[in-house]
Amino acid sequence: MLQDIRSNIQGTIAKIIIGLIVVSFSIFGIESLLFSGGTSGVAEVNGEEISAYALQQELSLQQRQLLALMGENADPALLDEALLSQAALESLVSREVVRQGAAEMGLSTSEQAIAGIVASMEQFQIDGRFSRDMFQSTLANAGFTPALFNQRLGEDIQIGQLRAGIAGSDFVTPAELALAASIELEGRDVRYLTLPLVDFRLSAEVNDEAIESYYNENGDEFMSEETVVLEYVQLRAEDYYQPVDEDRVREEFELVRDEFEVPTEARVSHVLLEGDDAQSRLEVVEAALEGGMSFADAAQEFSDDLGSVDAGGDLGYTAGDAFPEEMEELIASLGVGERAAVRTDAGLHLVLVTDRREGTAVTFADVAGELERRIQARDASEDLLTDVERLRDLAFNAIDLEEPAAALGVTVETSEPVSRNQATGLFANPRLQQAAFSEDVLEEGHNSEVIEIGEEEFVALRVASRQAPAVRPLADVRDQIEARLRDEIARAAAAEKAEALLSSIEGGESVEDAANAAGLEWQVELGATRNSQRIPPAVRDTLFALAAPGDEPRRQIVNNDGDAIYILEFTRVIAGSADSLSPAQRSGLRQQLAGQYGGVTQQQYEQALRERAEISIY
């Protein structure tokens, strides 16, 4: 029955049924939506509501962050709203708790400060200057309005003030500093000898009987992955490219030639003089310039344009459309190094042209190829999207992909075997893997949905055949088994040798003599620290896990390294002391500890706020 519904859902009867459902819902359901009196929020913290819109914003933000981390091969399963929504809601609740705590302390920031921060953010700048158009378009792409972004930024600053204040309020006492230094700077004297496993692997013997026995007893370790052979239809924009008539390319050239031509641009600086006395002040400025003052110094001393004073009056380049018409006309008439005054609505400007770079023209022949590709891409995109919609309908109702492919005039391709962890080729794409091994496609045998896997690239697929996991042939895993057995034999032989050497050392033989007698290397490290790079990590970690030795050295076999087994002899502890620190080191350690203590204090404070808050999740 379900298959019948799936097969006929796009038919006339189904559409009539859906239409009746819509009508009945509009009659009986709309009032409950509009007048139910319920809240539109998703949670409440101390009476302050968290809206569904805020949750959607946080969810979108988390999805964008995951996409940025995972790149092109993002796993869609990790972006599922059902999985992320709980974490997003928890983040909003925690944020609101802390924000309210900051507000209770009277922490805030001014609109002017927020505006200054926004203006200084590089992502909102063009050529080093704040662009309102860039600001608005960047926020729109991220799903923010300027007001919402400014509000969120203000809250971030407010929360940051609270956290910085709490973290910075902690301090380190002399006793804490001394204790930390005694641990951090502690030195330990150690001797150790090394038994390289490679020496034992060379002499390890593994016979066929042992390999076959291991294979028979541990078959589960050598199971092949489940694979499927897929039939698929792939629609790509480039497959729809068609030749373009030259007349059409020429029409396109006339429409967009301004994009390719670089206009002549002039770089200007100015001194802006406002007020009724602007003319008399201009004479003072001119006198100063004639007296040898640089234009930049004159701008810093006399200009009323606070935005360009620090840059010596520099306004950057203009192509004739950046400034008021009167000012642009004057700039066009001046040569490089020439200056003159002009009045606009802003005041009286003394303008200096500091540079001029000539523009470049472009011919049809220069850009015909690029324009043809543009038109091809535009046409192809329209045709592609039309076929994608057709494929969605056809593939949904068809029992395989042959009929949809024939209707679209494309070929059904067949893949090589594909596993759940495919790492190469088209089906390394996580979206395609997820579809291929979904219950609907793998178990029920249906065609997949049409899946977008890249910019203007779509795939629909189905399982043609399925290969269940099976024990791989012995010939395929023989080398792997032999290497594993050889390693086990080598490690066992090395461990046995280490035990014998340790007995000799504990019987009174020195590490040096025992190593020399066995033809092994040995080393001594005096005053080794927790961060010492001169001894193997496995030896260092074991060394600092041991209790201090008494009258006799502490000895230990280290058998957790992949390349060797060690025998260490730990003889002495040298206590660390803050007195040995330089002023810079002392300050660094104090800051490190204060940061750690402050972080703990901050977490405890926020946890206390959370426990005290009245929180309702809807």
Side-chain angles (χ1 to χ4, degrees), residues 41 55 114 131 208 248 293 440 505 611:
L55 176 59
I114 294 174
S131 167
D208 291 343
R248 203 175 157 204
M293 178 180 284
D440 193 45
I505 294 170
E611 292 172 355

Side-chain angles (χ1 to χ4, degrees), residues 201-235:
R201 289 192 186 101
L202 292 174
S203 60
E205 295 184 1
V206 179
N207 56 41
D208 291 343
E209 183 180 352
I211 293 173
E212 292 175 7
S213 176
Y214 188 94
Y215 175 76
N216 292 330
E217 294 173 5
N218 300 278
D220 290 347
E221 295 182 18
F222 307 110
M223 298 292 289
S224 65
E225 290 187 275
E226 178 183 24
T227 60
V228 291
V229 173
L230 301 171
E231 292 178 347
Y232 64 97
V233 171
Q234 186 175 14
L235 302 180

Side-chain angles (χ1 to χ4, degrees), residues 422-444:
Q422 189 74 21
T424 60
L426 175 66
F427 295 98
N429 185 289
R431 292 182 178 89
L432 297 184
Q433 290 178 14
Q434 183 182 39
F437 290 93
S438 67
E439 181 179 356
D440 193 45
V441 175
L442 184 65
E443 304 294 344
E444 301 296 333

Side-chain angles (χ1 to χ4, degrees), residues 303-541:
S303 182
D304 293 325
D305 180 10
L306 299 180
S308 66
V309 164
D310 291 339
D314 181 41
L315 297 175
Y317 284 92
T318 175
D321 55 2
F323 307 120
E325 184 178 351
E326 308 93 326
M327 190 169 171
E328 291 289 359
E329 290 177 357
L330 175 62
I331 293 169
S333 69
L334 295 175
V336 176
E338 295 180 347
R339 67 175 186 266
V342 65
R343 186 176 293 277
T344 69
D345 292 341
L348 185 62
H349 306 259
L350 179 60
V351 177
L352 171 69
V353 176
T354 59
D355 185 29
R356 180 169 274 114
R357 52 193 184 194
E358 296 300 324
T360 57
V362 66
T363 67
F364 173 74
D366 293 334
V367 297
E370 180 176 345
L371 293 179
E372 182 177 13
R373 287 190 293 274
R374 279 194 191 182
I375 296 171
Q376 287 177 320
R378 192 163 60 234
D379 292 348
S381 180
E382 294 175 2
D383 294 340
L384 170 67
L385 294 180
T386 298
D387 277 359
V388 166
E389 290 307 313
R390 291 180 63 199
L391 180 59
R392 292 188 202 280
D393 291 339
L394 293 169
F396 187 86
N397 291 308
I399 60 174
D400 57 29
L401 292 173
E402 293 295 339
E403 183 179 340
L408 297 175
V410 296
T411 303
V412 177
E413 308 277 355
T414 303
S415 74
E416 294 295 324
V418 174
S419 70
R420 294 177 185 268
N421 299 306
Q422 189 74 21
T424 60
L426 175 66
F427 295 98
N429 185 289
R431 292 182 178 89
L432 297 184
Q433 290 178 14
Q434 183 182 39
F437 290 93
S438 67
E439 181 179 356
D440 193 45
V441 175
L442 184 65
E443 304 294 344
E444 301 296 333
H446 297 147
N447 295 331
S448 75
E449 297 179 350
V450 179
I451 303 158
E452 184 174 5
I453 61 170
E455 187 173 355
E456 297 190 311
E457 185 174 5
F458 300 83
V459 172
L461 57 85
R462 67 179 299 275
V463 173
S465 63
R466 178 180 182 181
Q467 180 65 51
V471 179
R472 297 164 62 192
L474 175 58
D476 291 351
V477 297
R478 183 184 188 85
D479 290 345
Q480 178 183 342
I481 295 174
E482 182 177 356
R484 183 175 302 178
L485 292 177
R486 191 179 299 280
D487 188 74
E488 290 178 358
I489 293 170
R491 185 169 290 278
E496 183 179 354
K497 180 70 172 179
E499 291 287 353
L501 288 170
L502 180 60
S503 296
S504 297
I505 294 170
E506 289 180 337
E509 190 173 13
S510 69
V511 171
E512 180 180 1
D513 291 341
N516 290 336
L520 300 172
E521 291 185 358
W522 70 281
Q523 287 82 24
V524 60
E525 186 69 29
L526 303 178
T529 66
R530 297 176 188 275
N531 298 318
S532 177
Q533 301 299 311
R534 293 190 296 270
I535 57 179
V539 174
R540 184 188 61 225
D541 294 345

Side-chain angles (χ1 to χ4, degrees), residues 58 61 65 91-92 95-96 98-100 102 107-109 114 117 121 144 148-164 606:
E58 182 67 21
L61 179 63
Q65 290 172 339
S91 175
L92 285 175
R95 175 187 175 85
E96 180 61 21
V98 179
R99 188 200 66 77
Q100 292 181 14
L107 300 176
S108 64
T109 187
I114 294 174
I117 293 172
M121 297 174 74
F144 282 94
L148 181 60
F149 178 79
N150 287 345
Q151 176 190 339
R152 183 70 178 256
L153 179 58
E155 291 176 356
D156 285 342
I157 296 172
Q158 187 181 33
I159 291 170
Q161 290 172 340
L162 174 62
R163 287 175 171 167
E606 292 184 10

